Structure formats: structure tokens, C-alpha cells
Amino acid sequence: TNTIRLINLFENVTKAAVKDCYVDDSNHVVYFIVNEGDIGLAIGKNGSAVKNVEMMIKKNIRIFEFSNDLSTFVKNIIPAANKIEVRTGEDGTVVEIGVMKQDKALVIGRDGRNINLYRELLQRNHDVQKLLVK
């Protein structure tokens, strides 16, 4: 119910359609995935829409743009990925991304926090079984 409340609040304030919402209570961050083309609405002029919602819910907000194309979606959530390879096999869909050596720690995050978030978002929106970083 809390997630539905957050989605309704976000949609009413920003007028952007939300496809998915993931709440990370341990870091006080809410991740919204908005429909294609709605990222500008969601952010607002000079970030005003996001700032308004952040003040209302007292949590940080990160916004990603959805795409039906898996490669584009991966690029939207992991901008540091410069090589994206999608394989579909008997063990499901596997996404392998290549990042620059200096960006690898940023993509993985402390204690694997970022990579686990990316895996969760890819699983929920595109049914990806594995995400590998090279």
C-alpha cells in the first residue's frame, strides 16, 4: 500500500506515468521507472517536480526511463555501460555489460548495493535472470 501511495503522489505532482516503483528503505531512496518520453515531465523544469516530491516524502528520488528494448533500458539505468550484450538461453535472459575500469566500482556500489538494485529492476521489468559486469 505504501508503494501505491508513492506512485499516486508522484503521478499527481509530476503528471508522468509511473511504470514501476522500488522503495529502498535502508538508504531512504525511492526509484521510479517512468514510461518512455515522460522523463522530462517527471524531472520538471530545473528539477522542480522531483524536488517537490522529495520534500513531501522526505526521501531521495531517482528516476529511470523505461524502454521496451532491453538494451536501451539497460543503458537508461546504467549510463556507464558502454557495451551491452543480451543472451537468451535455457537459464533465461542474461545481460552482460562492459564498463570502463574506473567506473566498475561505481556500477557495483558499496557492498554490491547498486548492482543488486539494477538486477532487481531488470528482473521486475524485463524478466532478466542474470546481470554480469565485465
Side-chain angles (χ1 to χ4, degrees), residues 7-24:
I7 290 172
N8 283 333
L9 175 71
F10 188 83
E11 286 181 336
N12 288 335
V13 171
T14 64
K15 306 294 184 244
V18 174
K19 181 113 175 113
D20 191 13
C21 174
Y22 180 74
V23 181
D24 186 357

Side-chain angles (χ1 to χ4, degrees), residues 20-25 27 29-33 61-64 73 77-78 106-125 131:
D20 191 13
C21 174
Y22 180 74
V23 181
D24 186 357
D25 287 323
N27 298 317
V29 181
V30 180
Y31 300 92
F32 289 102
I33 296 180
I61 293 176
R62 299 241 355 242
I63 303 169
F64 302 113
F73 183 63
I77 66 172
I78 312 171
L106 181 71
V107 170
I108 294 172
R110 185 180 305 268
D111 298 326
R113 185 181 304 148
N114 292 346
I115 198 74
N116 290 334
L117 165 74
Y118 301 144
R119 283 183 180 128
E120 177 73 21
L121 293 177
L122 288 170
Q123 169 65 42
R124 289 167 68 153
N125 291 284
L131 175 63

Side-chain angles (χ1 to χ4, degrees), residues 5-59:
R5 185 181 62 78
L6 287 170
I7 290 172
N8 283 333
L9 175 71
F10 188 83
E11 286 181 336
N12 288 335
V13 171
T14 64
K15 306 294 184 244
V18 174
K19 181 113 175 113
D20 191 13
C21 174
Y22 180 74
V23 181
D24 186 357
D25 287 323
S26 62
N27 298 317
H28 300 292
V29 181
V30 180
Y31 300 92
F32 289 102
I33 296 180
V34 297
N35 286 340
E36 268 183 292
D38 283 357
I39 192 86
L41 277 174
I43 295 170
K45 192 170 192 168
N46 294 326
S48 61
V50 171
K51 289 174 189 165
N52 287 342
V53 178
E54 282 179 338
M55 287 191 314
M56 289 177 185
I57 65 174
K58 295 178 177 49
K59 290 184 180 185

